[in-house]
């Protein structure tokens, strides 16, 4: 199959999922054409089956807001024709689904029918999309897609709740390449951070308010008082300086390291004992899956789709958003020497269910179904 993939190329779950999906499809022999405004972060190697097409955007003094959606739609029209694509798969509804609709209409005037699959990732529905300034266009574009997938059942439920959708939404969960995340313990790294045998706790995110990184710090403080630990904070974003201030106020700077954006996040995760994800909203929680793939149990909130991944009492624990007291208590329980090995084992076992080899066929089957549907509509 020749597939065009449209996504945000920057750090962030939706771009990571789109890029990893493209890589996995390419390894199965499909020709994958990424259409993005810059090289996707995880697309850092050569593959004969992967192509990258840059969406160029021209500015003009009249444009306060350069029309990216139009440039993207035009690029899709061009690539579908030149590369003879079979299908377009757009990740994150805004604005990718509406640009794809426009491209589809333009191509139809040239006698080309291109099936469009839209994958909903979370904030395109739960935060940004349902805002009235975007809602009508988001609803319309989702309804006009030939196939719609969501990364969790909870996100599917929220989409039907907030939008007038008459399309069937297929749940295809996010996935992980366990080969890449296979434990590669860097014990010297752990020794440097935890010289006195402290436990290592980690968190990775884009440091947006929705991630509640302040709760991460509060949970850590409570755990640390009971079980000597160190905290690694990976990632960067708008809340980072506030969090640094909070750590200073709480007098825990000695025990916390800010690592910024890391390519090889698995190196940190593989030596961690516990992962914290107290998010306000999370359609799936890819960062938690990455931790579990490195055998790290997860203390999380029960927001959105997280409980579909982190099984309470098995791979970790889930609590109500903001209940830092309970989260810390559960963290202390997991970190006890007699409990940790079992939780680690369970975390990895659960992650294996989301291995790319299980999820990739779901996408391939879905593409075939959508293509068949489009071909059969005269
Ligand atoms: O976090 C965001 O603002 C958007 C998005 C992204 O690109 O990182 O994250 C969403 O998509 C991920 C991949 O499907 C999910 O794992 C995240 O749970 C989801 N984030 C939210 O729902 C907040």
């Amino acid at each position: 199959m020749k597939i065009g993939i449209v996504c945000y190329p920057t750090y962030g779950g939706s771009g990571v999922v789109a890029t990893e999906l493209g890589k996995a499809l390419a390894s199965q022999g499909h020709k994958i054409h990424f259409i993005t405004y810059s090289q996707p972060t995880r697309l850092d190697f050569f593959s004969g089956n992967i192509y990258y097409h840059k969406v160029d955007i021209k500015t003009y003094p009249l444009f306060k807001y350069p029309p990216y959606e139009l440039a993207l739609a035009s690029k899709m029209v061009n690539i579908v024709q030149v590369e003879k694509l079979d299908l377009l798969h757009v990740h994150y509804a805004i604005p990718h689904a509406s640009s794809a609709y426009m491209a589809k209409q333009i191509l139809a005037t040239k006698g080309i029918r291109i099936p469009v699959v839209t994958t909903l990732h979370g904030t395109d529905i739960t935060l940004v999309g349902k805002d009235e300034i975007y809602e009508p266009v988001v609803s319309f574009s989702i309804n006009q897609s030939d196939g719609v997938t969501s990364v969790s059942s909870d996100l599917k439920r929220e989409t039907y709740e907030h939008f007038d959708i008459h399309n069937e939404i297929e749940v295809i969960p996010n996935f992980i390449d366990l080969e890449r995340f296979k434990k590669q313990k860097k014990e010297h790294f752990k020794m440097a951070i935890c010289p006195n045998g402290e436990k290592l706790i980690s968190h990775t995110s884009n440091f947006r308010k929705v991630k509640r990184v302040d709760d991460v710090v509060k949970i850590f403080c409570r755990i640390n008082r009971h079980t000597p630990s160190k905290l690694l904070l990976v990632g960067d974003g708008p809340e980072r300086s506030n969090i640094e201030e909070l750590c200073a106020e709480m007098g825990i700077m000695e025990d916390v390291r800010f690592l910024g954006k890391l390519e090889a996040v698995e190196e940190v995760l593989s030596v961690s004992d516990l992962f914290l994800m107290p998010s306000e909203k999370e359609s799936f929680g890819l960062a938690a899956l990455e931790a579990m793939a490195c055998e790290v149990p997860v203390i999380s909130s029960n927001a959105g789709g997280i409980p579909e991944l982190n099984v309470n009492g098995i791979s970790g624990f889930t609590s109500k958003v903001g209940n830092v007291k309970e989260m810390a208590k559960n963290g202390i329980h997991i970190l006890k020497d007699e409990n940790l090995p079992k939780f680690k084992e369970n975390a990895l076992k659960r992650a294996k269910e989301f291995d790319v080899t299980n999820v990739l066929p779901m996408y391939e089957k879905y593409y075939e179904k959508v293509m068949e549907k489009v071909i059969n509509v005269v």
Side-chain angles (χ1 to χ4, degrees):
M1 248 185 252
K2 291 183 183 172
I3 302 160
I5 292 187
V6 178
C7 64
Y8 284 106
T10 48
Y11 283 90
S14 63
V16 169
V17 170
T19 311
E20 295 295 342
L21 175 62
K23 283 155 72 170
L25 287 163
S27 74
Q28 295 303 303
H30 301 285
K31 301 273 181 212
I32 303 302
H33 293 262
F34 285 97
I35 306 173
T36 55
Y37 60 77
S38 67
Q39 176 103 359
T41 327
R42 291 225 181 148
L43 200 63
D44 51 2
F45 67 104
F46 172 75
S47 155
N49 287 340
I50 296 182
Y51 306 79
Y52 159 56
H53 308 277
K54 186 170 191 283
V55 181
D56 271 321
I57 180 125
K58 298 262 184 320
T59 53
Y60 182 69
L62 193 63
F63 299 154
K64 186 172 173 199
Y65 306 105
Y68 174 67
E69 292 84 337
L70 303 189
L72 176 61
S74 296
K75 194 74 181 179
M76 288 190 214
V77 169
N78 172 255
I79 301 302
V80 167
Q81 291 180 104
V82 173
E83 303 291 350
K84 303 200 171 11
L85 298 188
D86 298 308
L87 182 135
L88 280 171
H89 186 176
V90 303
H91 291 258
Y92 208 86
I94 306 170
H96 303 149
S98 35
S99 295
Y101 169 72
M102 208 186 299
K104 194 166 94 168
Q105 295 308 307
I106 296 165
L107 287 160
T109 66
K110 299 170 189 290
I112 299 169
R113 267 188 283 167
I114 182 83
V116 171
V117 171
T118 297
T119 289
L120 310 173
H121 278 274
T123 46
D124 46 352
I125 297 301
T126 56
L127 279 183
V128 196
K130 71 182 186 200
D131 192 299
E132 61 186 23
I133 63 167
Y134 295 120
E135 188 279 324
V137 179
V138 175
S139 286
F140 179 80
S141 319
I142 293 175
N143 279 325
Q144 291 298 323
S145 296
D146 301 296
V148 184
T149 75
S150 82
V151 297
S152 64
S153 300
D154 188 76
L155 183 59
K156 172 177 172 174
R157 182 195 58 71
E158 272 220 51
T159 308
Y160 283 128
E161 190 180 315
H162 294 292
F163 299 85
D164 185 16
I165 300 299
H166 46 73
N167 249 346
E168 183 57 39
I169 300 176
E170 178 101 353
V171 177
I172 303 185
N174 285 337
F175 56 88
I176 192 95
D177 178 0
L178 271 158
E179 268 306 303
R180 176 186 162 194
F181 280 83
K182 219 161 48 185
K183 224 166 181 337
Q184 35 167 296
K185 262 191 183 287
K186 298 241 157 83
E187 285 301 346
H188 59 284
F189 178 70
K190 182 152 191 184
M191 280 298 288
I193 305 219
C194 305
N196 303 309
E198 295 92 340
K199 298 290 188 221
L200 190 56
I201 301 178
S202 56
H203 167 83
T204 69
S205 77
N206 50 25
F207 281 64
R208 295 190 205 136
K209 270 223 175 306
V210 72
K211 305 292 177 184
R212 294 183 73 105
V213 190
D214 49 341
D215 280 2
V216 169
V217 173
K218 290 174 196 160
I219 298 163
F220 170 73
C221 271
R222 284 172 179 266
I223 295 178
N224 193 22
R225 262 182 248 143
H226 184 278
T227 309
S229 309
K230 299 284 180 186
L231 176 64
L232 292 182
L233 293 171
V234 181
D236 208 342
E239 287 299 302
R240 176 163 165 178
S241 50
N242 290 340
I243 297 303
E244 283 189 45
E245 271 172 38
L246 180 66
C247 290
E249 270 167 34
M250 296 181 98
I252 54 163
M253 275 313 235
E254 281 286 294
D255 295 324
V256 183
R257 294 270 185 105
F258 288 81
L259 299 185
K261 287 178 184 171
L262 279 187
E263 276 297 329
V265 70
E266 63 274 19
E267 291 185 2
V268 167
L269 294 173
S270 64
V271 286
S272 298
D273 298 300
L274 187 68
F275 186 82
L276 303 179
M277 179 179 267
S279 305
E280 180 91 37
K281 283 189 187 303
E282 206 71 66
S283 64
F284 180 86
L286 187 65
L289 176 57
E290 292 184 339
M292 288 157 69
C294 293
E295 255 184 87
V296 186
V298 173
I299 288 292
S300 68
S301 70
N302 60 7
I306 303 179
E308 293 170 49
L309 170 68
N310 185 20
V311 186
N312 194 30
I314 307 285
S315 55
F317 287 97
T318 57
S319 300
K320 268 194 178 155
V321 173
N323 193 346
V324 293
K325 199 171 161 192
E326 185 181 283
M327 292 184 199
K329 192 177 125 239
N330 289 335
I332 291 167
H333 175 76
I334 290 177
L335 289 172
K336 285 189 178 145
D337 288 337
E338 65 271 29
N339 297 335
L340 194 53
K342 188 68 193 160
F343 276 102
K344 278 178 171 270
E345 189 189 319
N346 290 348
L348 179 60
K349 200 166 154 206
R350 180 72 179 142
K352 281 183 179 162
E353 293 174 37
F354 296 86
D355 187 47
V356 63
T357 52
N358 295 328
V359 179
L360 189 66
M362 296 186 196
Y363 273 113
E364 287 177 300
K365 221 167 123 197
Y366 190 65
Y367 291 158
E368 274 160 24
K369 187 172 136 189
V370 169
M371 281 169 63
E372 211 165 285
K373 186 177 96 182
V374 171
I375 287 162
N376 288 333
V377 173
V378 188

